[in-house]
Amino acid sequence: MENGNHDIPENANEHCPGPQSEEAGKADACAGCPNQQICATAPTGPDPDMVTIAERMAAIKHKILVLSGKGGVGKSTFSAQLSFALAEMDCQVGLLDIDICGPSIPKMLGLEGQDIHQSNLGWSPVYVESNLGVMSIGFMLPHPDEAVIWRGPRKNGLIKQFLKDVDWGELDYLVVDAPPGTSDEHISIVQFLQVTGIDGAIIVTTPQQVSLIDVRKEISFCKKVGIRVLGVVENMSGMRQSITDFRFVKSNETGDETDVTEWALSYIRSSAPELLSVIACSEVFDSSGGGAAKMCTEMGVPFLGNVPLDPHLCRAAEEGRSCFADQKCTVSAPALRQIIQKLISSGQ
């Protein structure tokens, strides 16, 4: 695959600042690089690609990053459903997946196996609907199981190419799904987009402390690089599920299980039919520390709301569907819609 950033040599060290940087050949990351002497003596100046990026991004009204401190918190699921929701509001939406090593957006939008097409205007996004376009390295891999084993400079080069060469057209929203953490991809997207303005970042977490610890670092990252935190979403905030969606089992003294779902539901229908409309709730993660809401108060950032752990939402994401068009997502879709409305009403 083509690097996309011809300025950074393939053999450059990880965390290469780039030959155009004032730190080229002088930064700590340059130590031992075979190009160090060349970079240190080469003339430096503004990156000409930034002009092209600024022109592309000028046609996009709002740019929103979706971040997380940890992996596995449902960040890509939220990015996908946010994009579906905005598109259903008749907005022109682009979804950019910059998780280079673990691109999951193509699957979550039902676009697996699609290819990128090129025109004289640049790369064309892959479209779910006429007003929802997607770009991801997942469309470039020869096989979905292919591993992307790239150093930082090559990742940064592809992110730059996504911004410089993709013909997004005029958009109301560009949603950027970033990998977990605060590494090269995050620094690059901020550096490339900041000159054209970023509305801010939505940070996704789960209730337990092990996730919130990393989210605090993500918030600190945003503050250090000057990115506004639009709010924090607490995902998987307890299990909420209709009684009729449960599977019931009975264990014997040896630990063997027998499925008694039909018997249990039949018993409920005959003896307590009012329970059929009850939603069962369960705390999946320990939220005794106050969860994301308390953390937001302590760190002075908005709390956007909770999204319960809903098996129907998980299934919609696996099948590349919008949960808002799925009548079974009765607990997650309203929660997501409320969060998105709060986001829209705040001016984003």
Side-chain angles (χ1 to χ4, degrees):
M1 187 186 306
E2 190 177 357
N3 185 338
N5 187 348
H6 306 288
D7 296 332
I8 298 179
E10 287 284 346
N11 61 346
N13 283 359
E14 191 170 8
H15 307 299
C16 169
Q20 299 295 328
S21 169
E22 293 181 1
E23 292 297 308
K26 307 169 189 174
D28 292 342
C30 299
C33 177
N35 309 291
Q36 184 175 14
Q37 184 61 33
I38 298 172
C39 291
T41 57
T44 60
D47 184 349
D49 287 339
M50 295 302 289
V51 176
T52 308
I53 291 173
E55 290 173 352
R56 290 279 193 194
M57 296 297 107
I60 300 173
K61 294 177 183 176
H62 301 288
K63 306 168 195 74
I64 298 175
L65 307 181
V66 181
L67 310 176
S68 69
K70 286 187 71 64
V73 300
K75 170 188 54 60
S76 294
T77 299
F78 181 82
S79 296
Q81 297 303 322
L82 171 62
S83 301
F84 276 129
L86 293 172
E88 288 170 14
M89 295 176 188
D90 292 327
C91 297
Q92 295 292 327
V93 184
L95 175 54
L96 174 58
D97 181 5
I98 64 166
D99 192 341
I100 306 300
C101 294
S104 53
I105 287 298
K107 181 173 182 61
M108 291 189 173
L109 274 293
L111 298 173
E112 283 185 299
Q114 298 292 319
D115 295 320
I116 295 173
H117 300 285
Q118 196 161 12
S119 70
N120 59 343
L121 296 176
W123 286 349
S124 296
V126 178
Y127 284 90
V128 185
E129 301 288 347
S130 60
N131 64 335
L132 175 52
V134 182
M135 181 56 66
S136 169
I137 191 177
F139 299 133
M140 304 175 177
L141 301 178
H143 191 276
D145 296 334
E146 186 82 12
V148 179
I149 308 172
W150 287 2
R151 290 186 180 274
R154 198 169 183 195
K155 293 180 184 177
N156 299 344
L158 183 61
I159 292 170
K160 177 189 274 191
Q161 192 166 10
F162 280 156
L163 297 174
K164 178 173 69 76
D165 292 346
V166 175
D167 178 29
W168 293 104
E170 294 188 3
L171 295 180
D172 294 303
Y173 291 92
L174 177 66
V175 178
V176 181
D177 183 51
T182 54
S183 56
D184 289 302
E185 294 92 327
H186 306 80
I187 296 169
S188 293
I189 196 70
V190 169
Q191 175 189 348
F192 297 146
L193 283 183
Q194 239 172 3
V195 292
T196 65
I198 304 174
D199 289 76
I202 300 169
I203 301 177
V204 182
T205 184
T206 50
Q208 77 273 40
Q209 289 299 313
V210 70
S211 178
L212 294 172
I213 288 169
D214 288 338
V215 166
R216 288 175 179 270
K217 297 172 185 174
E218 198 79 41
I219 293 172
S220 296
F221 166 81
C222 290
K223 290 179 177 179
K224 284 182 179 179
V225 298
I227 300 298
R228 176 186 169 200
V229 177
L230 300 174
V232 175
V233 175
E234 185 179 276
N235 198 24
M236 307 183 199
S237 185
M239 170 78 82
R240 293 174 63 86
Q241 193 171 5
S242 169
I243 288 287
T244 56
D245 288 333
F246 274 91
R247 176 173 169 260
F248 297 87
V249 297
K250 197 171 185 178
S251 299
N252 59 24
E253 56 275 5
T254 63
D256 294 327
E257 293 183 345
T258 303
D259 190 312
V260 294
T261 303
E262 285 302 320
W263 169 83
L265 291 177
S266 177
Y267 184 84
I268 292 172
R269 288 188 191 100
S270 60
S271 303
E274 62 274 13
L275 289 179
L276 295 173
S277 60
V278 168
I279 300 294
C281 304
S282 174
E283 292 296 322
V284 179
F285 299 114
D286 178 20
S287 57
S288 59
K294 181 180 178 183
M295 181 209 65
C296 288
T297 300
E298 293 171 351
M299 298 203 72
V301 296
F303 177 62
L304 291 174
N306 309 82
V307 181
L309 183 57
D310 179 0
H312 291 295
L313 173 60
C314 299
R315 192 169 297 116
E318 286 284 308
E319 296 174 359
R321 296 183 286 106
S322 166
C323 74
F324 306 105
D326 188 340
Q327 294 182 352
K328 292 184 178 180
C329 294
T330 56
V331 294
S332 56
L336 282 165
R337 199 177 294 280
Q338 189 173 15
I339 287 169
I340 293 164
Q341 288 293 347
K342 186 181 293 186
L343 185 69
I344 298 295
S345 63
S346 68
Q348 306 315 318

